[in-house]
Amino acid sequence: MIPGRVRIAIAIDGPASSGKGTVARFVAARLGYSYVDTGALYRGVGLALMRAGMDPTDAEAATEMASKLAFRFEWREGSLRVAVNGVDESEAIRGEAVGRAASAVAVHPGVRSALLQTQRDLGARGGVVMDGRDIGTVVLPNAQLKVYLDASLDERARRRHAEAPGVALEEVRRQLAARDQQDSGRATAPLKLAEDAEYVDTTGRSVEEVVQQVIALARERGA
Ligand code: CDP
């Protein structure tokens, strides 16, 4: 660590495909911070329910599942690995169906509170970049830097389509719009701009430009 600098907590929130994960990973790497992908927790719960043949909209089943899963994040050869109950599920949690299940389980207040302490523990010592939907508003309300990353629906659909070209662009756009509505419209910890967050629109901008902007904001706050 450079003398005189502090290891701050950086919260990055925003809708699906706004670039959160990519930006958060680069910012963390350049600052020598750890990166925590909180979406992986909701995805882990969604995946476990799917495998058990249970319905992610069932609040009781989802809450019970969330409270019995243990998560571990680990860096291996430059990529973030996520273990759920000791089993590496890094690839399995990435699918679009798991994303939808994650968004469905994320609606339940019981699931959110079961996952809250894990997230706070991961952020407690600073030197962390954490991304999600409610990091600046609920999980780390005292984060020294809060960023809300956004991009137009069309641009986010194009990005997601480029990552997984198997699904028609129009269908990707429709799925994203539905997820936006579910994430922003829910009663508990909806996706919204924290009062003290920096709003960053990534539409038409390169990852590098956005990473530099976030690092500059972090430097202003002592990182
Ligand atoms: O990568 P993408 O934005 O598609 O998804 P993600 O960040 O992995 O999150 C998957 C789902 O988990 C989201 O649609 C949210 O409903 C939920 N989530 C949440 O509610 N709160 C968080 N802090 C992180 C994710």
Side-chain angles (χ1 to χ4, degrees), residues 11 13 136 145-148 192-199 221:
D13 291 301
L145 173 60
K146 300 178 185 179
V147 175
Y148 186 99
K192 65 167 189 224
L193 183 68
E195 261 173 39
D196 48 353
E198 301 281 344
Y199 180 85
R221 286 155 178 84

Side-chain angles (χ1 to χ4, degrees), residues 16-17 20 38-39 42-43 102-103 106 112 132-135 160 179 183 186:
S17 286
K20 299 182 307 288
T38 64
Y42 294 90
R43 286 171 177 269
S103 186
R112 306 203 70 88
R133 300 291 189 287
D134 61 338
I135 309 306
R160 185 143 293 206
R179 190 113 79 83
D183 289 346
R186 68 181 174 225

